[in-house]
Amino acid sequence: MRTIHTDQIIQNISEMCIEANLYLSGDIKSAIHKGTQKEKSPLGRRILGQLVENMEIASTDQIPVCQDTGMTVVFLNIGQDVHIEGCLLADAVNEGIRRGYTDGCLRKSVVKDPLLRENTKDNTPGIIHYEIVPGDQLEIIVAPKGFGSENMSRIYMLKPADGIEGVKEAILTAVKDAGPNACPPMVIGVGIGGDFEKCAVMAKQALTRDISESSDIPYVRELEEEILDKINGLGIGPGGLGGTTTALGININTYPTHIAGLPVAVNICCHVARHVKRYI
């Protein structure tokens, strides 16, 4: 049994909130750079060049890469041989978010009540997902999610008879409907299977996977490649102003489901696709 004090969790999450908002991950930076070389539209290339310039300024001047610093989503993969001491784990996560967004001078975007709309002024609470896994480590993934793209996300409760063609159509429909509103080029997370809420969590989790890494399931890997090609053939392009780089990547997660269902969630993300991972 290994003991982790919540002070460590608070400190790491605070740092990760700032890191995620100031620096793009390596896979996203690489994809944007490649996009500037492959994009066929002159205007699209110029927009992608501006995105490169933007991320360089953010890193150099220590300012957020996007003005929407998001609602903080945290995935905690807790080793079953870990004992956490200190305060309540959820309180530690939210304290880390509060410190990160306050000390980092990041925009606070969370409201206390969805209808009364009073700002909490510290970007808490976050969205926390817990999973118990083998081992004696705590894996933390911090993924701030802006709502320009989040609002374009969709869940489809398909019939089993819709099959893989129905899944393809659902994903493409979500992307078409999003158009320029999701700040393309997009990164797309898809969850297939489970039930109503499981597919949505899988789609969000898929956005934290390196977009240069394909699924290890052969048919899913082929589906990711096919759908990415089709999305980039839609002509939406960078900034929604036309071109061949509508999406930088698509990650698909699957899970067993009921004989009567085929749930599909499409979680759309803008080009920053913020995510930071650490182990304690």
Side-chain angles (χ1 to χ4, degrees):
M1 184 66 69
R2 177 168 168 262
T3 299
I4 297 174
H5 197 280
T6 50
D7 285 350
Q8 290 179 267
I9 297 170
I10 292 169
Q11 182 63 34
N12 275 276
I13 289 179
S14 173
E15 294 170 356
M16 293 167 78
C17 286
I18 297 172
E19 180 183 343
N21 276 292
L22 268 55
Y23 308 99
L24 294 189
S25 58
D27 58 322
I28 299 299
K29 287 197 291 187
S30 176
I32 294 174
H33 278 293
K34 288 178 181 176
T36 61
Q37 299 165 5
K38 294 170 61 178
E39 174 58 51
K40 295 180 180 178
S41 161
L43 178 57
R45 284 197 301 274
R46 189 166 73 181
I47 293 170
L48 289 168
Q50 290 171 344
L51 297 183
V52 171
E53 182 181 7
N54 178 71
M55 65 185 180
E56 290 172 349
I57 292 171
S59 175
T60 301
D61 294 354
Q62 295 287 280
I63 55 176
V65 72
C66 176
Q67 80 279 2
D68 183 352
T69 55
M71 188 170 191
T72 310
V73 181
V74 179
F75 291 94
L76 298 174
N77 294 316
I78 308 165
Q80 65 179 2
D81 296 323
V82 168
H83 169 67
I84 295 172
E85 66 177 15
C87 64
L88 188 67
L89 181 55
D91 290 344
V93 171
N94 283 312
E95 177 61 16
I97 294 169
R98 185 192 69 78
R99 291 187 191 180
Y101 276 76
T102 302
D103 296 347
C105 299
L106 304 174
R107 194 182 87 180
K108 288 78 174 174
S109 303
V110 175
V111 294
K112 189 179 297 183
D113 184 279
L115 297 179
L116 299 180
R117 314 300 292 181
E118 179 188 356
N119 199 295
T120 64
K121 298 182 172 60
D122 59 9
N123 220 56
T124 67
I127 306 294
I128 310 172
H129 300 286
Y130 306 90
E131 186 168 347
I132 304 298
V133 298
D136 64 355
Q137 285 189 308
L138 171 63
E139 180 188 54
I140 305 173
I141 300 173
V142 171
K145 188 69 164 65
F147 262 63
S149 58
E150 186 75 355
N151 285 337
M152 297 295 105
S153 301
R154 297 290 183 266
I155 289 181
Y156 302 90
M157 301 303 290
L158 302 181
K159 301 183 296 294
D162 292 324
I164 196 165
E165 294 304 318
V167 171
K168 294 175 187 177
E169 184 59 31
I171 299 169
L172 290 171
T173 298
V175 174
K176 289 175 190 174
D177 289 347
N181 296 317
C183 299
M186 312 169 198
V187 177
I188 299 150
V190 178
I192 306 172
D195 60 0
F196 182 81
E197 80 275 7
K198 177 66 176 178
C199 69
V201 174
M202 286 195 296
K204 179 63 61 65
Q205 205 162 20
L207 290 174
T208 68
R209 192 177 92 210
D210 191 315
I211 59 172
S212 66
E213 297 177 3
S214 300
S215 171
D216 55 4
I217 302 171
Y219 90 86
V220 176
R221 182 167 59 248
E222 292 172 6
L223 184 59
E224 289 173 341
E225 293 171 357
E226 179 185 347
I227 292 294
L228 183 60
D229 285 343
K230 288 185 176 179
I231 288 171
N232 285 330
L234 293 175
I236 297 170
L241 297 174
T244 55
T245 313
T246 296
L248 299 173
I250 176 169
N251 289 339
I252 298 174
N253 288 339
T254 62
Y255 193 82
T257 191
H258 191 278
I259 57 172
L262 180 55
V264 179
V266 184
N267 196 201
I268 295 178
C269 193
C270 65
H271 70 277
V272 295
R274 292 164 291 204
H275 56 280
V276 174
K277 180 190 297 185
R278 288 188 185 181
Y279 293 91
I280 298 179

